[in-house]
Amino acid sequence: MSDASTDRDDRPAEVTDPLLWRLAAAVADTHQPDEHSACDNGSCFGAAWPCAPWHSAQMGLRAAQAAPRTGTAEPAAHQDGPETSAGRSAESSPPPPWQPQPDQSPLAITSAA
C-alpha cells in the first residue's frame, strides 16, 4: 500500500468513519483502469474495470459518510406478508446505507501526491 493512499488529507467533512473512509479510498486508489479498460491491480488479473473490489470500495466510501447507527433495535412486529428477520415487511424496508442506490454515481477520489 502506498503512502499516498494511507495519509489522506482530502477526506470530506461529511465522513463519520475516518478509518473506513481511508481503507475504502486506498482500495479504490489501487483498483484503477489501465489503457485497455481492465483493472490494473494484480489481484484482479485483467478483470474488466470497474472491478468488484472497486465497487466494494465505493460502498465503503458511502458507508463512511452515512449517519452513525444507534444501538437501539426495533421491536418485532407481526404483519401479513413477507417479513424480514426484524419482523418488518420486506417491501417497506429501506435499503441499508451501504447498499448502492441506482441514482448514485461513483465518488471522486484524488490521490495525494
Side-chain angles (χ1 to χ4, degrees), residues 8 17 19-32 49-65 97-98 100 104-109:
R8 301 185 70 88
D17 189 338
L19 177 59
L20 176 58
W21 193 88
R22 281 194 314 269
L23 292 171
V27 170
D29 282 347
T30 61
H31 289 268
Q32 294 298 311
W49 190 87
C51 59
W54 186 87
H55 281 294
S56 296
Q58 295 300 306
M59 289 189 296
L61 291 167
R62 285 188 185 91
Q65 294 182 49
W98 60 86
Q104 291 177 329
S105 60
L107 297 172
I109 299 176

PDB file of all heavy atoms in Angstrom, residues 8 17 19-32 49-65 97-98 100 104-109:
ATOM      1  N   ARG A   8      -4.226  10.446   3.808  1.00  0.00           N
ATOM      2  CA  ARG A   8      -5.120  11.267   3.002  1.00  0.00           C
ATOM      3  C   ARG A   8      -5.559  12.497   3.783  1.00  0.00           C
ATOM      4  O   ARG A   8      -6.042  12.396   4.888  1.00  0.00           O
ATOM      5  CB  ARG A   8      -6.322  10.450   2.578  1.00  0.00           C
ATOM      6  CG  ARG A   8      -5.935   9.215   1.770  1.00  0.00           C
ATOM      7  CD  ARG A   8      -7.143   8.512   1.275  1.00  0.00           C
ATOM      8  NE  ARG A   8      -7.786   9.300   0.241  1.00  0.00           N
ATOM      9  CZ  ARG A   8      -7.470   9.211  -1.047  1.00  0.00           C
ATOM     10  NH1 ARG A   8      -6.544   8.401  -1.431  1.00  0.00           N
ATOM     11  NH2 ARG A   8      -8.109   9.940  -1.930  1.00  0.00           N
ATOM     12  N   ASP A  17     -16.876   8.059   9.619  1.00  0.00           N
ATOM     13  CA  ASP A  17     -15.993   6.936   9.969  1.00  0.00           C
ATOM     14  C   ASP A  17     -14.686   7.089   9.202  1.00  0.00           C
ATOM     15  O   ASP A  17     -14.527   6.548   8.103  1.00  0.00           O
ATOM     16  CB  ASP A  17     -16.680   5.612   9.632  1.00  0.00           C
ATOM     17  CG  ASP A  17     -15.934   4.403  10.166  1.00  0.00           C
ATOM     18  OD1 ASP A  17     -14.704   4.514  10.416  1.00  0.00           O
ATOM     19  OD2 ASP A  17     -16.563   3.347  10.319  1.00  0.00           O
ATOM     20  N   LEU A  19     -11.644   5.896   9.542  1.00  0.00           N
ATOM     21  CA  LEU A  19     -10.879   4.683   9.259  1.00  0.00           C
ATOM     22  C   LEU A  19     -11.472   3.944   8.059  1.00  0.00           C
ATOM     23  O   LEU A  19     -10.752   3.564   7.131  1.00  0.00           O
ATOM     24  CB  LEU A  19     -10.823   3.768  10.478  1.00  0.00           C
ATOM     25  CG  LEU A  19     -10.104   2.432  10.264  1.00  0.00           C
ATOM     26  CD1 LEU A  19      -8.653   2.659   9.833  1.00  0.00           C
ATOM     27  CD2 LEU A  19     -10.165   1.597  11.531  1.00  0.00           C
ATOM     28  N   LEU A  20     -12.775   3.748   8.052  1.00  0.00           N
ATOM     29  CA  LEU A  20     -13.428   3.088   6.928  1.00  0.00           C
ATOM     30  C   LEU A  20     -13.198   3.883   5.644  1.00  0.00           C
ATOM     31  O   LEU A  20     -12.899   3.317   4.600  1.00  0.00           O
ATOM     32  CB  LEU A  20     -14.925   2.924   7.183  1.00  0.00           C
ATOM     33  CG  LEU A  20     -15.740   2.336   6.030  1.00  0.00           C
ATOM     34  CD1 LEU A  20     -15.219   0.961   5.635  1.00  0.00           C
ATOM     35  CD2 LEU A  20     -17.213   2.281   6.411  1.00  0.00           C
ATOM     36  N   TRP A  21     -13.285   5.194   5.728  1.00  0.00           N
ATOM     37  CA  TRP A  21     -13.091   6.027   4.544  1.00  0.00           C
ATOM     38  C   TRP A  21     -11.672   5.869   3.998  1.00  0.00           C
ATOM     39  O   TRP A  21     -11.486   5.698   2.796  1.00  0.00           O
ATOM     40  CB  TRP A  21     -13.380   7.494   4.868  1.00  0.00           C
ATOM     41  CG  TRP A  21     -13.501   8.310   3.629  1.00  0.00           C
ATOM     42  CD1 TRP A  21     -14.623   8.528   2.893  1.00  0.00           C
ATOM     43  CD2 TRP A  21     -12.446   9.010   2.969  1.00  0.00           C
ATOM     44  NE1 TRP A  21     -14.320   9.308   1.820  1.00  0.00           N
ATOM     45  CE2 TRP A  21     -13.000   9.621   1.836  1.00  0.00           C
ATOM     46  CE3 TRP A  21     -11.085   9.168   3.234  1.00  0.00           C
ATOM     47  CZ2 TRP A  21     -12.245  10.383   0.968  1.00  0.00           C
ATOM     48  CZ3 TRP A  21     -10.331   9.936   2.358  1.00  0.00           C
ATOM     49  CH2 TRP A  21     -10.917  10.536   1.248  1.00  0.00           C
ATOM     50  N   ARG A  22     -10.665   5.885   4.886  1.00  0.00           N
ATOM     51  CA  ARG A  22      -9.276   5.736   4.433  1.00  0.00           C
ATOM     52  C   ARG A  22      -9.038   4.365   3.800  1.00  0.00           C
ATOM     53  O   ARG A  22      -8.371   4.248   2.772  1.00  0.00           O
ATOM     54  CB  ARG A  22      -8.303   5.942   5.598  1.00  0.00           C
ATOM     55  CG  ARG A  22      -8.080   7.393   5.945  1.00  0.00           C
ATOM     56  CD  ARG A  22      -6.881   7.591   6.863  1.00  0.00           C
ATOM     57  NE  ARG A  22      -6.801   6.679   7.992  1.00  0.00           N
ATOM     58  CZ  ARG A  22      -7.320   6.913   9.191  1.00  0.00           C
ATOM     59  NH1 ARG A  22      -7.964   8.027   9.436  1.00  0.00           N
ATOM     60  NH2 ARG A  22      -7.177   6.034  10.157  1.00  0.00           N
ATOM     61  N   LEU A  23      -9.584   3.320   4.405  1.00  0.00           N
ATOM     62  CA  LEU A  23      -9.402   1.979   3.857  1.00  0.00           C
ATOM     63  C   LEU A  23     -10.091   1.828   2.495  1.00  0.00           C
ATOM     64  O   LEU A  23      -9.510   1.288   1.555  1.00  0.00           O
ATOM     65  CB  LEU A  23      -9.927   0.926   4.832  1.00  0.00           C
ATOM     66  CG  LEU A  23      -9.132   0.775   6.131  1.00  0.00           C
ATOM     67  CD1 LEU A  23      -9.876  -0.129   7.099  1.00  0.00           C
ATOM     68  CD2 LEU A  23      -7.747   0.258   5.846  1.00  0.00           C
ATOM     69  N   ALA A  24     -11.320   2.321   2.394  1.00  0.00           N
ATOM     70  CA  ALA A  24     -12.044   2.230   1.124  1.00  0.00           C
ATOM     71  C   ALA A  24     -11.355   3.067   0.047  1.00  0.00           C
ATOM     72  O   ALA A  24     -11.254   2.641  -1.109  1.00  0.00           O
ATOM     73  CB  ALA A  24     -13.492   2.688   1.315  1.00  0.00           C
ATOM     74  N   ALA A  25     -10.854   4.235   0.414  1.00  0.00           N
ATOM     75  CA  ALA A  25     -10.138   5.080  -0.545  1.00  0.00           C
ATOM     76  C   ALA A  25      -8.868   4.396  -1.022  1.00  0.00           C
ATOM     77  O   ALA A  25      -8.513   4.470  -2.208  1.00  0.00           O
ATOM     78  CB  ALA A  25      -9.825   6.438   0.080  1.00  0.00           C
ATOM     79  N   ALA A  26      -8.179   3.707  -0.133  1.00  0.00           N
ATOM     80  CA  ALA A  26      -6.957   3.003  -0.511  1.00  0.00           C
ATOM     81  C   ALA A  26      -7.264   1.883  -1.512  1.00  0.00           C
ATOM     82  O   ALA A  26      -6.538   1.696  -2.486  1.00  0.00           O
ATOM     83  CB  ALA A  26      -6.270   2.429   0.727  1.00  0.00           C
ATOM     84  N   VAL A  27      -8.356   1.157  -1.298  1.00  0.00           N
ATOM     85  CA  VAL A  27      -8.741   0.099  -2.232  1.00  0.00           C
ATOM     86  C   VAL A  27      -9.103   0.711  -3.585  1.00  0.00           C
ATOM     87  O   VAL A  27      -8.660   0.241  -4.631  1.00  0.00           O
ATOM     88  CB  VAL A  27      -9.912  -0.747  -1.675  1.00  0.00           C
ATOM     89  CG1 VAL A  27     -10.472  -1.683  -2.739  1.00  0.00           C
ATOM     90  CG2 VAL A  27      -9.460  -1.529  -0.455  1.00  0.00           C
ATOM     91  N   ALA A  28      -9.892   1.773  -3.576  1.00  0.00           N
ATOM     92  CA  ALA A  28     -10.269   2.424  -4.837  1.00  0.00           C
ATOM     93  C   ALA A  28      -9.036   2.940  -5.571  1.00  0.00           C
ATOM     94  O   ALA A  28      -8.945   2.831  -6.796  1.00  0.00           O
ATOM     95  CB  ALA A  28     -11.252   3.553  -4.570  1.00  0.00           C
ATOM     96  N   ASP A  29      -8.079   3.492  -4.840  1.00  0.00           N
ATOM     97  CA  ASP A  29      -6.839   4.006  -5.450  1.00  0.00           C
ATOM     98  C   ASP A  29      -6.055   2.904  -6.151  1.00  0.00           C
ATOM     99  O   ASP A  29      -5.426   3.137  -7.175  1.00  0.00           O
ATOM    100  CB  ASP A  29      -5.926   4.634  -4.393  1.00  0.00           C
ATOM    101  CG  ASP A  29      -6.364   6.021  -3.968  1.00  0.00           C
ATOM    102  OD1 ASP A  29      -7.227   6.616  -4.649  1.00  0.00           O
ATOM    103  OD2 ASP A  29      -5.835   6.502  -2.949  1.00  0.00           O
ATOM    104  N   THR A  30      -6.055   1.711  -5.584  1.00  0.00           N
ATOM    105  CA  THR A  30      -5.245   0.632  -6.144  1.00  0.00           C
ATOM    106  C   THR A  30      -5.979  -0.189  -7.197  1.00  0.00           C
ATOM    107  O   THR A  30      -5.393  -1.099  -7.777  1.00  0.00           O
ATOM    108  CB  THR A  30      -4.728  -0.311  -5.034  1.00  0.00           C
ATOM    109  OG1 THR A  30      -5.845  -0.891  -4.363  1.00  0.00           O
ATOM    110  CG2 THR A  30      -3.840   0.443  -4.051  1.00  0.00           C
ATOM    111  N   HIS A  31      -7.234   0.099  -7.445  1.00  0.00           N
ATOM    112  CA  HIS A  31      -8.019  -0.612  -8.467  1.00  0.00           C
ATOM    113  C   HIS A  31      -8.499   0.402  -9.497  1.00  0.00           C
ATOM    114  O   HIS A  31      -9.662   0.792  -9.522  1.00  0.00           O
ATOM    115  CB  HIS A  31      -9.197  -1.366  -7.837  1.00  0.00           C
ATOM    116  CG  HIS A  31      -8.757  -2.552  -7.057  1.00  0.00           C
ATOM    117  ND1 HIS A  31      -8.667  -3.813  -7.610  1.00  0.00           N
ATOM    118  CD2 HIS A  31      -8.334  -2.675  -5.773  1.00  0.00           C
ATOM    119  CE1 HIS A  31      -8.226  -4.663  -6.698  1.00  0.00           C
ATOM    120  NE2 HIS A  31      -8.013  -3.990  -5.570  1.00  0.00           N
ATOM    121  N   GLN A  32      -7.591   0.825 -10.351  1.00  0.00           N
ATOM    122  CA  GLN A  32      -7.875   1.804 -11.392  1.00  0.00           C
ATOM    123  C   GLN A  32      -7.780   1.143 -12.762  1.00  0.00           C
ATOM    124  O   GLN A  32      -7.122   0.116 -12.926  1.00  0.00           O
ATOM    125  CB  GLN A  32      -6.885   2.972 -11.293  1.00  0.00           C
ATOM    126  CG  GLN A  32      -7.050   3.793 -10.030  1.00  0.00           C
ATOM    127  CD  GLN A  32      -8.414   4.457  -9.953  1.00  0.00           C
ATOM    128  OE1 GLN A  32      -8.866   5.082 -10.906  1.00  0.00           O
ATOM    129  NE2 GLN A  32      -9.082   4.293  -8.821  1.00  0.00           N
ATOM    130  N   TRP A  49     -12.762  -3.297 -15.781  1.00  0.00           N
ATOM    131  CA  TRP A  49     -12.954  -2.228 -14.803  1.00  0.00           C
ATOM    132  C   TRP A  49     -14.252  -1.523 -15.108  1.00  0.00           C
ATOM    133  O   TRP A  49     -14.582  -1.320 -16.259  1.00  0.00           O
ATOM    134  CB  TRP A  49     -11.786  -1.238 -14.873  1.00  0.00           C
ATOM    135  CG  TRP A  49     -11.805  -0.270 -13.733  1.00  0.00           C
ATOM    136  CD1 TRP A  49     -11.250  -0.449 -12.518  1.00  0.00           C
ATOM    137  CD2 TRP A  49     -12.423   1.009 -13.699  1.00  0.00           C
ATOM    138  NE1 TRP A  49     -11.481   0.631 -11.717  1.00  0.00           N
ATOM    139  CE2 TRP A  49     -12.206   1.553 -12.434  1.00  0.00           C
ATOM    140  CE3 TRP A  49     -13.159   1.747 -14.609  1.00  0.00           C
ATOM    141  CZ2 TRP A  49     -12.695   2.796 -12.053  1.00  0.00           C
ATOM    142  CZ3 TRP A  49     -13.639   2.985 -14.235  1.00  0.00           C
ATOM    143  CH2 TRP A  49     -13.400   3.499 -12.973  1.00  0.00           C
ATOM    144  N   PRO A  50     -15.061  -1.167 -14.131  1.00  0.00           N
ATOM    145  CA  PRO A  50     -14.795  -1.252 -12.696  1.00  0.00           C
ATOM    146  C   PRO A  50     -14.943  -2.682 -12.181  1.00  0.00           C
ATOM    147  O   PRO A  50     -15.901  -3.369 -12.499  1.00  0.00           O
ATOM    148  CB  PRO A  50     -15.827  -0.327 -12.074  1.00  0.00           C
ATOM    149  CG  PRO A  50     -16.933  -0.221 -13.070  1.00  0.00           C
ATOM    150  CD  PRO A  50     -16.320  -0.456 -14.414  1.00  0.00           C
ATOM    151  N   CYS A  51     -13.982  -3.085 -11.384  1.00  0.00           N
ATOM    152  CA  CYS A  51     -13.933  -4.439 -10.835  1.00  0.00           C
ATOM    153  C   CYS A  51     -14.736  -4.522  -9.528  1.00  0.00           C
ATOM    154  O   CYS A  51     -15.171  -3.512  -8.985  1.00  0.00           O
ATOM    155  CB  CYS A  51     -12.477  -4.834 -10.593  1.00  0.00           C
ATOM    156  SG  CYS A  51     -11.627  -3.734  -9.449  1.00  0.00           S
ATOM    157  N   ALA A  52     -14.893  -5.731  -9.027  1.00  0.00           N
ATOM    158  CA  ALA A  52     -15.645  -5.947  -7.787  1.00  0.00           C
ATOM    159  C   ALA A  52     -15.015  -5.221  -6.597  1.00  0.00           C
ATOM    160  O   ALA A  52     -15.738  -4.586  -5.812  1.00  0.00           O
ATOM    161  CB  ALA A  52     -15.790  -7.438  -7.509  1.00  0.00           C
ATOM    162  N   PRO A  53     -13.675  -5.254  -6.410  1.00  0.00           N
ATOM    163  CA  PRO A  53     -13.100  -4.510  -5.281  1.00  0.00           C
ATOM    164  C   PRO A  53     -13.332  -2.997  -5.388  1.00  0.00           C
ATOM    165  O   PRO A  53     -13.557  -2.334  -4.377  1.00  0.00           O
ATOM    166  CB  PRO A  53     -11.601  -4.840  -5.352  1.00  0.00           C
ATOM    167  CG  PRO A  53     -11.545  -6.165  -6.031  1.00  0.00           C
ATOM    168  CD  PRO A  53     -12.671  -6.133  -7.032  1.00  0.00           C
ATOM    169  N   TRP A  54     -13.312  -2.458  -6.596  1.00  0.00           N
ATOM    170  CA  TRP A  54     -13.577  -1.025  -6.765  1.00  0.00           C
ATOM    171  C   TRP A  54     -15.011  -0.708  -6.365  1.00  0.00           C
ATOM    172  O   TRP A  54     -15.265   0.274  -5.673  1.00  0.00           O
ATOM    173  CB  TRP A  54     -13.309  -0.602  -8.208  1.00  0.00           C
ATOM    174  CG  TRP A  54     -13.433   0.874  -8.413  1.00  0.00           C
ATOM    175  CD1 TRP A  54     -12.461   1.809  -8.230  1.00  0.00           C
ATOM    176  CD2 TRP A  54     -14.597   1.583  -8.816  1.00  0.00           C
ATOM    177  NE1 TRP A  54     -12.959   3.062  -8.507  1.00  0.00           N
ATOM    178  CE2 TRP A  54     -14.274   2.952  -8.872  1.00  0.00           C
ATOM    179  CE3 TRP A  54     -15.891   1.194  -9.145  1.00  0.00           C
ATOM    180  CZ2 TRP A  54     -15.183   3.926  -9.234  1.00  0.00           C
ATOM    181  CZ3 TRP A  54     -16.806   2.171  -9.504  1.00  0.00           C
ATOM    182  CH2 TRP A  54     -16.445   3.522  -9.547  1.00  0.00           C
ATOM    183  N   HIS A  55     -15.964  -1.563  -6.765  1.00  0.00           N
ATOM    184  CA  HIS A  55     -17.365  -1.357  -6.372  1.00  0.00           C
ATOM    185  C   HIS A  55     -17.508  -1.448  -4.854  1.00  0.00           C
ATOM    186  O   HIS A  55     -18.223  -0.645  -4.245  1.00  0.00           O
ATOM    187  CB  HIS A  55     -18.283  -2.383  -7.047  1.00  0.00           C
ATOM    188  CG  HIS A  55     -18.606  -2.049  -8.460  1.00  0.00           C
ATOM    189  ND1 HIS A  55     -19.344  -0.955  -8.845  1.00  0.00           N
ATOM    190  CD2 HIS A  55     -18.277  -2.674  -9.609  1.00  0.00           C
ATOM    191  CE1 HIS A  55     -19.460  -0.909 -10.145  1.00  0.00           C
ATOM    192  NE2 HIS A  55     -18.809  -1.953 -10.645  1.00  0.00           N
ATOM    193  N   SER A  56     -16.832  -2.410  -4.245  1.00  0.00           N
ATOM    194  CA  SER A  56     -16.883  -2.534  -2.782  1.00  0.00           C
ATOM    195  C   SER A  56     -16.308  -1.299  -2.108  1.00  0.00           C
ATOM    196  O   SER A  56     -16.826  -0.835  -1.091  1.00  0.00           O
ATOM    197  CB  SER A  56     -16.114  -3.776  -2.326  1.00  0.00           C
ATOM    198  OG  SER A  56     -16.735  -4.939  -2.812  1.00  0.00           O
ATOM    199  N   ALA A  57     -15.239  -0.754  -2.685  1.00  0.00           N
ATOM    200  CA  ALA A  57     -14.643   0.465  -2.132  1.00  0.00           C
ATOM    201  C   ALA A  57     -15.626   1.617  -2.210  1.00  0.00           C
ATOM    202  O   ALA A  57     -15.723   2.428  -1.274  1.00  0.00           O
ATOM    203  CB  ALA A  57     -13.356   0.804  -2.881  1.00  0.00           C
ATOM    204  N   GLN A  58     -16.393   1.711  -3.296  1.00  0.00           N
ATOM    205  CA  GLN A  58     -17.388   2.773  -3.428  1.00  0.00           C
ATOM    206  C   GLN A  58     -18.463   2.645  -2.346  1.00  0.00           C
ATOM    207  O   GLN A  58     -18.893   3.643  -1.757  1.00  0.00           O
ATOM    208  CB  GLN A  58     -18.033   2.744  -4.816  1.00  0.00           C
ATOM    209  CG  GLN A  58     -17.071   3.045  -5.942  1.00  0.00           C
ATOM    210  CD  GLN A  58     -16.433   4.405  -5.811  1.00  0.00           C
ATOM    211  OE1 GLN A  58     -17.118   5.412  -5.680  1.00  0.00           O
ATOM    212  NE2 GLN A  58     -15.116   4.434  -5.827  1.00  0.00           N
ATOM    213  N   MET A  59     -18.872   1.405  -2.062  1.00  0.00           N
ATOM    214  CA  MET A  59     -19.852   1.193  -0.991  1.00  0.00           C
ATOM    215  C   MET A  59     -19.262   1.591   0.356  1.00  0.00           C
ATOM    216  O   MET A  59     -19.943   2.180   1.191  1.00  0.00           O
ATOM    217  CB  MET A  59     -20.323  -0.257  -0.973  1.00  0.00           C
ATOM    218  CG  MET A  59     -21.201  -0.603  -2.153  1.00  0.00           C
ATOM    219  SD  MET A  59     -22.002  -2.218  -2.052  1.00  0.00           S
ATOM    220  CE  MET A  59     -20.599  -3.318  -2.079  1.00  0.00           C
ATOM    221  N   GLY A  60     -17.977   1.285   0.560  1.00  0.00           N
ATOM    222  CA  GLY A  60     -17.316   1.675   1.805  1.00  0.00           C
ATOM    223  C   GLY A  60     -17.226   3.178   1.953  1.00  0.00           C
ATOM    224  O   GLY A  60     -17.434   3.720   3.046  1.00  0.00           O
ATOM    225  N   LEU A  61     -16.939   3.880   0.863  1.00  0.00           N
ATOM    226  CA  LEU A  61     -16.874   5.348   0.922  1.00  0.00           C
ATOM    227  C   LEU A  61     -18.234   5.933   1.267  1.00  0.00           C
ATOM    228  O   LEU A  61     -18.328   6.879   2.053  1.00  0.00           O
ATOM    229  CB  LEU A  61     -16.378   5.903  -0.419  1.00  0.00           C
ATOM    230  CG  LEU A  61     -14.918   5.608  -0.732  1.00  0.00           C
ATOM    231  CD1 LEU A  61     -14.608   5.914  -2.186  1.00  0.00           C
ATOM    232  CD2 LEU A  61     -14.006   6.409   0.188  1.00  0.00           C
ATOM    233  N   ARG A  62     -19.295   5.362   0.710  1.00  0.00           N
ATOM    234  CA  ARG A  62     -20.648   5.852   1.043  1.00  0.00           C
ATOM    235  C   ARG A  62     -20.999   5.531   2.498  1.00  0.00           C
ATOM    236  O   ARG A  62     -21.583   6.359   3.198  1.00  0.00           O
ATOM    237  CB  ARG A  62     -21.671   5.241   0.106  1.00  0.00           C
ATOM    238  CG  ARG A  62     -21.630   5.860  -1.257  1.00  0.00           C
ATOM    239  CD  ARG A  62     -22.790   5.386  -2.126  1.00  0.00           C
ATOM    240  NE  ARG A  62     -22.614   5.923  -3.447  1.00  0.00           N
ATOM    241  CZ  ARG A  62     -21.964   5.302  -4.431  1.00  0.00           C
ATOM    242  NH1 ARG A  62     -21.454   4.116  -4.237  1.00  0.00           N
ATOM    243  NH2 ARG A  62     -21.844   5.870  -5.606  1.00  0.00           N
ATOM    244  N   ALA A  63     -20.652   4.330   2.934  1.00  0.00           N
ATOM    245  CA  ALA A  63     -20.963   3.943   4.315  1.00  0.00           C
ATOM    246  C   ALA A  63     -20.202   4.818   5.308  1.00  0.00           C
ATOM    247  O   ALA A  63     -20.717   5.146   6.377  1.00  0.00           O
ATOM    248  CB  ALA A  63     -20.623   2.470   4.544  1.00  0.00           C
ATOM    249  N   ALA A  64     -18.994   5.221   4.955  1.00  0.00           N
ATOM    250  CA  ALA A  64     -18.195   6.073   5.847  1.00  0.00           C
ATOM    251  C   ALA A  64     -18.793   7.460   5.981  1.00  0.00           C
ATOM    252  O   ALA A  64     -18.484   8.177   6.929  1.00  0.00           O
ATOM    253  CB  ALA A  64     -16.759   6.167   5.324  1.00  0.00           C
ATOM    254  N   GLN A  65     -19.657   7.837   5.056  1.00  0.00           N
ATOM    255  CA  GLN A  65     -20.299   9.147   5.114  1.00  0.00           C
ATOM    256  C   GLN A  65     -21.728   9.069   5.629  1.00  0.00           C
ATOM    257  O   GLN A  65     -22.414  10.074   5.722  1.00  0.00           O
ATOM    258  CB  GLN A  65     -20.295   9.785   3.722  1.00  0.00           C
ATOM    259  CG  GLN A  65     -18.896  10.095   3.250  1.00  0.00           C
ATOM    260  CD  GLN A  65     -18.883  10.772   1.911  1.00  0.00           C
ATOM    261  OE1 GLN A  65     -19.608  11.736   1.705  1.00  0.00           O
ATOM    262  NE2 GLN A  65     -18.054  10.280   1.014  1.00  0.00           N
ATOM    263  N   PRO A  97     -27.712   1.643   4.357  1.00  0.00           N
ATOM    264  CA  PRO A  97     -26.998   2.801   3.822  1.00  0.00           C
ATOM    265  C   PRO A  97     -25.783   2.428   2.990  1.00  0.00           C
ATOM    266  O   PRO A  97     -25.359   3.197   2.145  1.00  0.00           O
ATOM    267  CB  PRO A  97     -26.597   3.597   5.056  1.00  0.00           C
ATOM    268  CG  PRO A  97     -26.658   2.640   6.182  1.00  0.00           C
ATOM    269  CD  PRO A  97     -27.679   1.608   5.804  1.00  0.00           C
ATOM    270  N   TRP A  98     -25.211   1.245   3.183  1.00  0.00           N
ATOM    271  CA  TRP A  98     -24.024   0.865   2.429  1.00  0.00           C
ATOM    272  C   TRP A  98     -24.372   0.258   1.072  1.00  0.00           C
ATOM    273  O   TRP A  98     -23.506   0.038   0.262  1.00  0.00           O
ATOM    274  CB  TRP A  98     -23.162  -0.101   3.226  1.00  0.00           C
ATOM    275  CG  TRP A  98     -23.885  -1.367   3.566  1.00  0.00           C
ATOM    276  CD1 TRP A  98     -23.988  -2.480   2.789  1.00  0.00           C
ATOM    277  CD2 TRP A  98     -24.624  -1.642   4.734  1.00  0.00           C
ATOM    278  NE1 TRP A  98     -24.742  -3.430   3.405  1.00  0.00           N
ATOM    279  CE2 TRP A  98     -25.141  -2.935   4.618  1.00  0.00           C
ATOM    280  CE3 TRP A  98     -24.901  -0.916   5.885  1.00  0.00           C
ATOM    281  CZ2 TRP A  98     -25.927  -3.514   5.597  1.00  0.00           C
ATOM    282  CZ3 TRP A  98     -25.673  -1.502   6.857  1.00  0.00           C
ATOM    283  CH2 TRP A  98     -26.174  -2.784   6.705  1.00  0.00           C
ATOM    284  N   PRO A 100     -25.506   0.301  -2.665  1.00  0.00           N
ATOM    285  CA  PRO A 100     -25.558   1.366  -3.666  1.00  0.00           C
ATOM    286  C   PRO A 100     -26.972   1.566  -4.188  1.00  0.00           C
ATOM    287  O   PRO A 100     -27.738   0.617  -4.314  1.00  0.00           O
ATOM    288  CB  PRO A 100     -24.634   0.860  -4.769  1.00  0.00           C
ATOM    289  CG  PRO A 100     -24.603  -0.612  -4.606  1.00  0.00           C
ATOM    290  CD  PRO A 100     -24.793  -0.869  -3.131  1.00  0.00           C
ATOM    291  N   GLN A 104     -26.910   6.780  -7.615  1.00  0.00           N
ATOM    292  CA  GLN A 104     -25.642   7.235  -7.050  1.00  0.00           C
ATOM    293  C   GLN A 104     -24.516   7.024  -8.047  1.00  0.00           C
ATOM    294  O   GLN A 104     -24.373   5.955  -8.630  1.00  0.00           O
ATOM    295  CB  GLN A 104     -25.313   6.490  -5.761  1.00  0.00           C
ATOM    296  CG  GLN A 104     -26.231   6.855  -4.625  1.00  0.00           C
ATOM    297  CD  GLN A 104     -25.913   6.052  -3.388  1.00  0.00           C
ATOM    298  OE1 GLN A 104     -25.477   4.924  -3.465  1.00  0.00           O
ATOM    299  NE2 GLN A 104     -26.143   6.648  -2.236  1.00  0.00           N
ATOM    300  N   SER A 105     -23.724   8.044  -8.222  1.00  0.00           N
ATOM    301  CA  SER A 105     -22.564   7.928  -9.094  1.00  0.00           C
ATOM    302  C   SER A 105     -21.344   7.643  -8.234  1.00  0.00           C
ATOM    303  O   SER A 105     -21.355   7.878  -7.027  1.00  0.00           O
ATOM    304  CB  SER A 105     -22.379   9.208  -9.890  1.00  0.00           C
ATOM    305  OG  SER A 105     -22.194  10.289  -9.018  1.00  0.00           O
ATOM    306  N   PRO A 106     -20.269   7.142  -8.843  1.00  0.00           N
ATOM    307  CA  PRO A 106     -19.048   6.878  -8.062  1.00  0.00           C
ATOM    308  C   PRO A 106     -18.532   8.150  -7.407  1.00  0.00           C
ATOM    309  O   PRO A 106     -18.673   9.245  -7.948  1.00  0.00           O
ATOM    310  CB  PRO A 106     -18.051   6.371  -9.107  1.00  0.00           C
ATOM    311  CG  PRO A 106     -18.895   5.907 -10.238  1.00  0.00           C
ATOM    312  CD  PRO A 106     -20.128   6.761 -10.227  1.00  0.00           C
ATOM    313  N   LEU A 107     -17.948   7.987  -6.244  1.00  0.00           N
ATOM    314  CA  LEU A 107     -17.384   9.123  -5.524  1.00  0.00           C
ATOM    315  C   LEU A 107     -16.011   9.447  -6.104  1.00  0.00           C
ATOM    316  O   LEU A 107     -15.237   8.555  -6.438  1.00  0.00           O
ATOM    317  CB  LEU A 107     -17.258   8.794  -4.042  1.00  0.00           C
ATOM    318  CG  LEU A 107     -18.583   8.523  -3.354  1.00  0.00           C
ATOM    319  CD1 LEU A 107     -18.353   8.029  -1.948  1.00  0.00           C
ATOM    320  CD2 LEU A 107     -19.446   9.764  -3.338  1.00  0.00           C
ATOM    321  N   ALA A 108     -15.728  10.717  -6.221  1.00  0.00           N
ATOM    322  CA  ALA A 108     -14.443  11.140  -6.764  1.00  0.00           C
ATOM    323  C   ALA A 108     -13.366  11.002  -5.700  1.00  0.00           C
ATOM    324  O   ALA A 108     -13.547  11.417  -4.561  1.00  0.00           O
ATOM    325  CB  ALA A 108     -14.521  12.593  -7.214  1.00  0.00           C
ATOM    326  N   ILE A 109     -12.258  10.409  -6.079  1.00  0.00           N
ATOM    327  CA  ILE A 109     -11.129  10.237  -5.170  1.00  0.00           C
ATOM    328  C   ILE A 109      -9.915  10.776  -5.882  1.00  0.00           C
ATOM    329  O   ILE A 109      -9.645  10.439  -7.033  1.00  0.00           O
ATOM    330  CB  ILE A 109     -10.900   8.764  -4.814  1.00  0.00           C
ATOM    331  CG1 ILE A 109     -12.109   8.218  -4.118  1.00  0.00           C
ATOM    332  CG2 ILE A 109      -9.663   8.600  -3.971  1.00  0.00           C
ATOM    333  CD1 ILE A 109     -11.997   6.757  -3.811  1.00  0.00           C
TER     334      ILE A 109
END
